[in-house]
Amino acid sequence: MKAPFRLRSLRGRLLLWLVALHLVAIAATVWLSYGAYGRLVNTFMDDQMRLVADSHASHRRPPTLPPATADDAIRRGSFVVQIWTTDGRRLLASSWPGLDLPLQSEPGFSDVRVGTRREDAWRVYTAEAGTLADMPRVQVVQNDSFRRNRIVRRALLESLPILLMLPVTLLILLFIVSAASRSLRAVARDVAAQEEGDPAEVPIASVPEEIAPLVTAFNSLLGRLRNSLSAQRRFMQDAAHELRTPMTAIGLQIENLRAHVPAGAAVERFAQLESGVKRAQHLIEQLLRLSRQDAPAASARGPVDVATLLRDSVGQLMVLADRRRVDVGFEGRIAPHVCAPPAELRSVFDNLIDNAVRYAPQGGVVDVRLHIVDGQPVVDVLDNGPGIPADQLERVFNRFFRVAGAPAGGSGLGLAIAQAAALRNGLRIVLANRTDGAGLRARVYLPGSS
């Protein structure tokens, strides 16, 4: 069954209801005007008919009556005067002889129909018989359709101002709705600008009263969401801090145990244990870093020299690169400055370079390039590792997701941390497998730099 039609636009609903209201007002005005003006016209015309009849009834002899035509009687509503004998059997004079209407038996007003057409209905006033025996009888007749037409025209004219006001009212309504829509759009922009770490609520001072409860409810929901996220961050930080101390102690115990491991299969088992502990320590550090990045940014934003920051990142990771015999190079063709917290930018580039060094093969190459692509400054981090399957290029930004066959020691959080920091500061990371050889290219598009 087809669903009933419903207007989704508030403006459309208001216009529809306003048009319907005007139509109802027009109909009510026509009906009331028809009744009121009908009584007025009928009373006035009846009085005129009585005066005409009385003026002719005072003559003993039939007066000369001005002739009238059918058009005068029917279309213009002229009075038709009939002079009858005292007994009413013979018509002595008539202003329109073509009207075949007998003298009514009872004096006073009556409605008579002589045919089936609208024009065949007549309003009749029959004067009372005179005091003298030979005085004529007078009867005055007026077409009833003329009266009705005049009443209808008058009633329609009464409703004409409302009809003329309809387009003006619609224009005014459009202006009012547009102004209200601007308020709603302003509220929508304030809502869209809200961030999970922003303590400020959507202001309701300039919000229309009708949607103020909705904004208040949204602020309440946003507050509960922030409290929930804050509790999750605190739990992650507390858990990571609590795990850091025993894992550090375990690492020291393993270092002390190294000299007491006998040769043979025990060395291989010990190496696996040491690798697992190091991975756990790395995971705890990444969790701490991730929880700090999820928290509201408190560091100052200022112009950061990207070239200098990249050199520091490369230098910090040289120990890991030397251990894996990976050649890391930096090429800076430009020197842009980005307005962002330095710690946030370091988090982006440290994780991308660290990821490239870990995935590059033993004796591989990692290149960090700062240059212009299509008129926009970018940072490319290239490695000659195995790359990432095309269907997983977007999934690697998910937390704890690791590509099948990835080397041990990773936590699956590095790219998630880099992506979160990049999005907060207007950067964009695009991963793509290299077309000039094996490996991956991580390209970071810098925001408005100077």
Side-chain angles (χ1 to χ4, degrees), residues 42 49 70 73-75 77-78 80 96 99-101 104 110-125 140-149:
N42 287 325
M49 292 174 66
I74 295 176
R75 300 185 183 277
S78 299
V80 178
W96 181 35
L99 178 60
D100 185 16
L101 185 66
Q104 303 302 302
S110 59
D111 295 315
V112 180
R113 176 174 289 276
V114 297
T116 57
R117 301 177 304 170
R118 284 189 59 201
E119 296 83 0
D120 294 334
W122 299 88
R123 180 70 168 171
V124 180
Y125 176 71
V140 180
V141 184
Q142 186 181 32
N143 190 264
D144 190 64
S145 64
F146 164 77
R147 291 189 179 192
R148 295 185 181 276
N149 291 338

Side-chain angles (χ1 to χ4, degrees), residues 51-89:
L51 290 175
V52 171
D54 292 343
S55 66
H56 286 84
S58 61
H59 296 84
R60 295 179 62 88
R61 293 182 178 181
T64 302
L65 301 177
T69 63
D71 187 68
D72 293 333
I74 295 176
R75 300 185 183 277
R76 295 187 177 90
S78 299
F79 292 151
V80 178
V81 180
Q82 295 178 332
I83 309 297
W84 295 82
T85 59
T86 304
D87 56 7
R89 296 179 179 180

Side-chain angles (χ1 to χ4, degrees), residues 87 155 189 213 234 250 288 301 318 368 382 399 405 414 432 436 439:
D87 56 7
R189 287 194 297 270
R234 286 195 302 270
I250 292 174
L288 274 174
R301 303 175 71 92
M318 287 306 296
V368 181
L382 304 102
R399 296 178 181 181
D436 57 348

Side-chain angles (χ1 to χ4, degrees), residues 120-311:
D120 294 334
W122 299 88
R123 180 70 168 171
V124 180
Y125 176 71
T126 306
E128 295 184 1
T131 57
L132 300 177
D134 58 346
M135 291 188 68
R137 298 287 301 276
V138 179
Q139 184 169 263
V140 180
V141 184
Q142 186 181 32
N143 190 264
D144 190 64
S145 64
F146 164 77
R147 291 189 179 192
R148 295 185 181 276
N149 291 338
R150 187 168 182 177
I151 294 171
V152 169
R153 285 197 300 268
R154 181 66 181 182
L156 292 177
L157 286 175
E158 291 290 335
S159 65
L160 185 60
I162 300 179
L163 184 62
L164 294 178
M165 285 178 59
L166 179 59
V168 178
T169 308
L170 291 179
L171 290 177
I172 295 175
L173 179 65
L174 284 175
F175 175 78
I176 295 174
V177 172
S178 298
S181 298
R182 284 195 294 270
S183 300
L184 291 175
R185 287 193 291 269
V187 173
R189 287 194 297 270
D190 291 340
V191 171
Q194 289 290 309
E195 297 181 359
E196 52 139 328
D198 188 1
E201 296 182 343
V202 178
I204 62 173
S206 59
V207 172
E209 293 183 0
E210 290 77 10
I211 62 172
L214 176 62
V215 177
T216 302
F218 173 79
N219 286 333
S220 176
L221 175 62
L222 189 61
R224 295 195 298 271
L225 177 62
R226 287 167 177 162
N227 292 336
S228 176
L229 293 176
S230 178
Q232 291 180 6
R233 283 193 296 268
R234 286 195 302 270
F235 173 78
M236 187 183 298
Q237 291 175 353
D238 294 343
H241 276 293
E242 291 296 325
L243 289 173
R244 179 190 256 179
T245 301
M247 289 305 301
T248 302
I250 292 174
L252 291 176
Q253 293 294 332
I254 288 178
E255 286 294 330
N256 296 333
L257 187 64
R258 183 187 300 277
H260 303 283
V261 176
V267 174
E268 182 179 353
R269 298 292 185 183
F270 181 81
Q272 293 176 354
L273 175 62
E274 185 179 28
S275 175
V277 171
K278 288 183 177 180
R279 184 186 175 201
Q281 290 176 329
H282 179 68
L283 176 60
I284 292 172
E285 293 298 326
Q286 292 285 63
L287 286 173
L288 274 174
R289 187 180 302 178
L290 181 63
S291 65
R292 294 191 188 105
Q293 289 209 348
D294 283 344
S299 54
R301 303 175 71 92
V304 179
D305 186 344
V306 179
T308 301
L309 186 141
L310 286 173
R311 291 190 183 94

